[in-house]
């Protein structure tokens, strides 16, 4: 059995280099979370898909729980599964969240499941989450567009995995949405219409900034721009989008300091990994 | 489907809130649009009443209203779609769809009075 100890830090948002989706892996795995200091939603999405992918290849996966009680509670609330399937669709969205995990890990396989969770999450934020309700339209846009994209353009048997949480970080109240899939990836999708865009972070940036689509219909690339539009129309004091796909990464501050996009190369990953974070109350 | 035409064949008014309050995907929009197309194929105008609708995604707005507008512009559908009862968010989504499809400002104001 091979033991993987994912790095734990504020920036352990991205796929730990150890969690590589390499087809050549054959050993059973132990994912050792004992030293983790935080359990970010995007990391949860990545880890869950990695577990699911490993199980589908016949590898047994176990998880050593975090030693810190607060991190262990987050892992429990977020619903990481090692031996069972994730809930599918809206059945997994609680009417009232028990804590800071607003939406536990959910798998979406069909478009009507996106309708279910987007509806449930919007209603929950509207009715019960006063501290983050100001971004409910932006969150609704993000869930709708990102999950729909993952299912429509992802083209893989694992569907799309998503979760959401809220929390306080250095006095700022934040809402975080993570979406991941093991599909073709944003750059390769965009290159179906723009094959000359060989640099992955450039292709990602065009999809985010210019509404470029990989379909043959020019008016279809409205997902990312619409999320930004709803974010700017909201009372969010800050918002940030980060994407990693193919061999590129892209970061865009939608509202806040330094509102310029940043992109660059990154170690290659399978699929697309997206985190959107809104700040509803800025810390002093 | 509720209908209150101004005259026998002039207009049909369709309330979106009979389908729900929050709308998110293209698939959902397509199924609603097909019903609208069937009901309004012989009308001059279809009034889509968004009163009671809390939120629509850009994709839903485009697949429902943007597509109806495009079909009307391309003479593939007789009825002119008009949206009423909009919140600021739903108006934003519909107008963005029309702008993305390069619909003229003048026609945008006819289809989404604002």
């Amino acid at each position: 059995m091979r033991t993987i100890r994912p790095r734990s830090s504020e920036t352990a948002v991205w796929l730990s280099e150890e969690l590589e989706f390499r087809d050549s892996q054959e050993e059973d795995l132990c994912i050792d979370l004992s030293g983790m200091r935080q359990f970010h939603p995007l990391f949860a999405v990545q880890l869950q898909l990695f577990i699911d992918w490993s199980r589908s290849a016949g590898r047994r996966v176990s998880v050593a729980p975090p030693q810190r009680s607060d991190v262990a509670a987050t892992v429990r609330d977020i619903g990481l599964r090692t031996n069972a399937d994730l809930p599918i669709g809206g059945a997994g969205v609680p009417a009232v969240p028990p804590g800071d995990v607003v939406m536990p890990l959910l798998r979406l396989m069909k478009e009507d499941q996106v309708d279910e969770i987007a509806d449930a999450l919007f209603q929950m934020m509207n009715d019960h989450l006063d501290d983050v309700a100001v971004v409910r339209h932006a969150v609704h846009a993000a869930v709708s567009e990102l999950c729909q994209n993952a299912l429509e353009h992802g083209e893989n048997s694992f569907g799309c995995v998503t979760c959401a949480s809220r929390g306080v970080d250095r006095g700022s109240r934040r809402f975080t949405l993570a979406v991941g899939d093991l599909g073709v990836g944003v750059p390769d999708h965009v290159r179906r219409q723009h094959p000359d865009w060989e640099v992955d972070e450039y292709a990602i940036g065009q999809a985010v900034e210019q509404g470029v689509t990989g379909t043959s219909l020019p008016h279809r690339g409205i997902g990312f721009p619409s999320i930004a539009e709803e974010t700017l129309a909201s009372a969010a004091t800050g918002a940030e989008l980060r994407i990693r796909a193919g061999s590129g990464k892209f970061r865009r501050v939608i509202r806040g300091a330094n509102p310029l996009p940043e992109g660059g190369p990154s170690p290659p990953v399978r699929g697309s990994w997206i985190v959107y974070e809104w700040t509803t109350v800025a810390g002093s | 489907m509720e209908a209150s035409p101004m005259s026998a064949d002039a207009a049909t008014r369709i309330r979106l809130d009979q389908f729900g309050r929050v709308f998110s995907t293209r698939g959902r929009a397509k199924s609603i649009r097909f019903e609208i197309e069937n009901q309004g194929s012989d009308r001059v105008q279809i009034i889509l009443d968004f009163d009671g609708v809390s939120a629509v995604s850009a994709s839903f707005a485009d697949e429902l209203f943007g597509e109806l507008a495009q079909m009307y512009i391309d003479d593939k559908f007789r009825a002119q779609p008009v949206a009423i009862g909009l919140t600021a968010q739903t108006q934003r989504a519909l107008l963005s769809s029309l702008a993305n499809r390069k619909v003229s400002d003048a026609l945008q104001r006819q289809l989404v009075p604002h």
Side-chain angles (χ1 to χ4, degrees), chain B:
Chain B
M1 195 176 295
E2 180 185 336
S4 53
M6 295 186 303
S7 65
D9 61 357
T12 291
R13 185 192 196 106
I14 297 168
R15 291 188 64 97
L16 269 293
D17 66 354
Q18 66 183 293
F19 301 106
R21 301 290 177 123
V22 177
F23 298 96
S24 307
T25 65
R26 286 190 182 273
R28 189 96 195 280
K30 259 185 211 171
S31 64
I32 295 173
R33 195 182 81 234
F34 289 158
E35 286 199 44
I36 292 172
E37 288 174 35
N38 289 335
Q39 292 291 325
S41 59
D42 60 345
R43 297 286 191 258
V44 172
Q45 194 177 67
I46 290 183
I47 300 170
L48 299 180
D49 190 346
F50 282 77
D51 187 38
V53 173
S54 303
V56 301
S57 74
S59 290
F60 177 90
D62 185 68
E63 192 65 45
L64 175 67
F65 197 78
E67 197 62 26
L68 282 172
Q70 193 72 63
M71 291 162 61
Y72 169 72
I73 292 167
D74 295 342
D75 283 329
K76 292 177 180 173
F77 190 61
R78 179 189 176 206
Q80 181 193 55
V82 175
I84 65 171
L86 300 167
T87 63
Q89 191 276 323
T90 52
Q91 183 184 84
R92 195 160 54 233
L94 266 58
L95 288 174
S96 287
S97 167
L98 297 181
N100 217 35
R101 288 175 179 258
K102 311 283 192 272
V103 174
S104 71
D105 288 349
L107 186 54
Q108 285 187 39
R109 283 196 195 87
Q110 285 185 38
L111 304 183
V112 184
H114 61 282

